[in-house]
Amino acid sequence: MKRKTRILASVLALCMAGTSLAGCQSGGGTSSAASAKASDAASSKAAAAPTTITIWHSAEAGIIKCLQTELDKLAPNVTVKFERKENMSDALKLIGNDPSSAPDMYLWAHDKTGTFAQMGILSPVTDFVSKDELADLLPVTTTASTYQGQMYQLPIFYETQMFLYNKKLMKTPPKTTDDLLKYAKENTKNGTYGLVEQHSTAYYAAAWMHAFGAAIVNDKSEPQLNTQAMMDSVAYHKQFVPYEPVDGEYNTVTTLFKEGKAHSIISGPWLVPDLKTSGIDFGVAPMPTVSSTGKALTPYAGVQGLFVLKNSAEGKKDAVTSVLRQLLKTDVGVSLAKAASCAPANNKCYSDAAVSSNEMLMTMKKTAETAVAMPNTPEMDVMWDATETMLAAVNKNKKDIKTECESAQKKALEGIQSMK
């Protein structure tokens, strides 16, 4: 606002100077030419004025530092300012498209895409960059970023679960789940576990469901909690629970692994920095294959990327386009991989030696070939709770699987109906 005020003052000053000069000369033509020249100069100055793009985020400092460095290359025409925002979902619902308080873009996971697209506050990224420019992105990342046929997120990096093991305790990671179960039975004793995982958290249990052909929702976002495949997966997975910590909570299982009291853990790249700090000599292995189905545990993929607020799209289109194009460059993905061990969404990054030599990133890329994009529809707000209630009843309270699956399905349908 202050910049616009200064420009307007400059225009007025030039106009006044032109009028004064005309009074000393004869003829109105000179006055018009001077005014036009002043106007052109002011317009040129306004066109060259830098544009500031504000991006909300809740990412780690190392990731933002890396992105800031890359986006600073757009200066002086575009200045990018990252602002940390806690409770991103609530904040976005509150501000909507209010230009006085909304950011221009935000960096976040893809799973709430449907919620904000339904609110009408997002612009598709294909309004700024062509589909050809997105061709190098891994398919699972573009699937995750798309809601009802529109791609609302520019994928930057993604996360999947991994099988991590303590090299001092586990010499050879099991290749099948039957082998893993046998290992857990033989090595769970005296406060030490063969395997730990968040067995009753829907996000983690989904890997087992997918390996049996089950899903929390189908492609129409309809609940699928009482299918035979779902009951089969829950029954098989339940065999592992007696050999794991009963609560299956994040803090419990990660602490056990970091303290060398668990031989293996199913977790994600977010745990790796803590493991390095703890001094754990860990390895990364492919997810085991379910012996009875022949399919590997197939986790969800979560994608982090940029969303564009519709209000910004209307007023800062050129600057927004520059930001998106800059982040599509291979250099950005490679930098993130080096600085923060992020798995790049851009497939070309994996040709760089710094990425291709990283065991964890290459394992994640392999997993991403079959991983399921975490659903991004509003109905999932109901499904997470319904699924976890069922899992807790079965795994922690030893309730009947069929009864709990049927009950969860009924509650999910009622919950979704109440959203309409």
Side-chain angles (χ1 to χ4, degrees), residues 287-358:
M287 294 288 261
T289 296
V290 173
S291 304
S292 61
T293 68
K295 295 182 179 178
L297 297 182
T298 309
Y300 277 138
V303 179
Q304 298 279 339
L306 272 188
F307 296 83
V308 181
L309 273 293
K310 186 172 289 183
N311 179 69
S312 174
E314 296 169 355
K316 301 179 178 179
K317 185 169 184 176
D318 289 345
V320 168
T321 301
S322 296
V323 170
L324 295 177
R325 284 185 172 150
Q326 185 68 21
L327 294 179
L328 277 169
K329 293 182 177 178
T330 306
D331 290 350
V332 176
V334 173
S335 295
L336 280 170
K338 290 179 179 176
S341 295
C342 295
N346 188 330
N347 191 36
K348 283 189 172 179
C349 296
Y350 295 89
S351 297
D352 187 281
V355 180
S356 63
S357 62
N358 186 313

Side-chain angles (χ1 to χ4, degrees), residues 2-297:
K2 290 181 179 180
R3 182 177 296 111
K4 290 181 178 179
T5 303
R6 288 197 296 269
I7 293 171
L8 180 58
S10 299
V11 173
L12 289 173
L14 287 168
C15 289
M16 291 176 66
T19 302
S20 176
L21 183 61
C24 300
Q25 299 176 350
S26 63
T30 303
S31 175
S32 298
S35 296
K37 186 176 181 180
S39 178
D40 290 345
S43 298
S44 177
K45 183 177 180 179
T51 301
T52 297
I53 294 292
T54 300
I55 302 176
W56 281 1
H57 76 93
S58 57
E60 296 174 7
I63 292 172
I64 297 305
K65 181 180 179 181
C66 182
L67 293 176
Q68 184 74 70
T69 299
E70 292 297 331
L71 292 173
D72 282 348
K73 297 175 182 176
L74 298 174
N77 294 331
V78 178
T79 300
V80 176
K81 181 173 64 175
F82 282 95
E83 290 184 358
R84 186 167 186 83
K85 182 64 63 175
E86 305 298 341
N87 301 318
M88 183 80 80
S89 181
D90 291 342
L92 288 169
K93 289 177 181 175
L94 184 64
I95 58 92
N97 260 330
D98 178 4
S100 66
S101 55
D104 300 302
M105 312 170 84
Y106 66 93
L107 172 69
W108 211 30
H110 78 276
D111 56 308
K112 294 289 185 184
T113 302
T115 297
F116 297 114
Q118 290 280 11
M119 286 177 61
I121 67 172
L122 301 179
S123 284
V125 294
T126 47
D127 286 355
F128 307 90
V129 294
S130 70
K131 291 184 178 179
D132 287 344
E133 292 175 278
L134 304 171
D136 292 325
L137 296 173
L138 294 171
V140 72
T141 68
T142 55
T143 298
S145 302
T146 300
Y147 175 72
Q148 294 187 344
Q150 296 280 8
M151 189 170 169
Y152 287 102
Q153 182 200 45
L154 182 77
I156 298 176
F157 63 94
Y158 64 94
E159 300 165 334
T160 66
Q161 294 164 37
M162 303 179 292
F163 188 86
L164 302 166
Y165 63 99
N166 185 324
K167 290 183 177 179
K168 290 184 179 178
L169 302 176
M170 178 181 277
K171 301 304 178 186
T172 304
K175 293 184 178 180
T176 70
T177 52
D178 280 359
D179 289 343
L180 180 59
L181 181 58
K182 182 174 182 291
Y183 187 92
K185 289 179 178 178
E186 294 173 350
N187 292 280
T188 298
K189 51 190 173 186
N190 303 323
T192 300
Y193 297 86
L195 167 71
V196 293
E197 56 164 339
Q198 292 178 250
H199 51 69
S200 298
T201 299
Y203 174 76
Y204 286 87
W208 298 80
M209 298 172 188
H210 297 153
F212 278 81
I216 294 176
V217 294
N218 62 14
D219 58 3
K220 297 178 181 177
S221 297
E222 297 167 337
Q224 302 293 298
L225 299 179
N226 63 344
T227 64
Q228 187 59 52
M230 177 62 73
M231 289 185 266
D232 290 345
S233 75
V234 173
Y236 183 79
H237 190 193
K238 184 183 176 183
Q239 299 178 87
F240 290 75
V241 177
Y243 307 100
E244 300 180 31
V246 175
D247 68 9
E249 298 295 335
Y250 178 83
N251 287 336
T252 300
V253 300
T254 56
T255 297
L256 284 167
F257 192 72
K258 287 188 292 186
E259 292 181 349
K261 296 179 180 177
H263 293 222
S264 63
I265 185 172
I266 295 176
S267 188
W270 47 87
L271 183 59
V272 170
D274 279 353
L275 297 182
K276 291 180 178 177
T277 301
S278 301
I280 294 290
D281 183 14
F282 68 95
V284 183
M287 294 288 261
T289 296
V290 173
S291 304
S292 61
T293 68
K295 295 182 179 178
L297 297 182

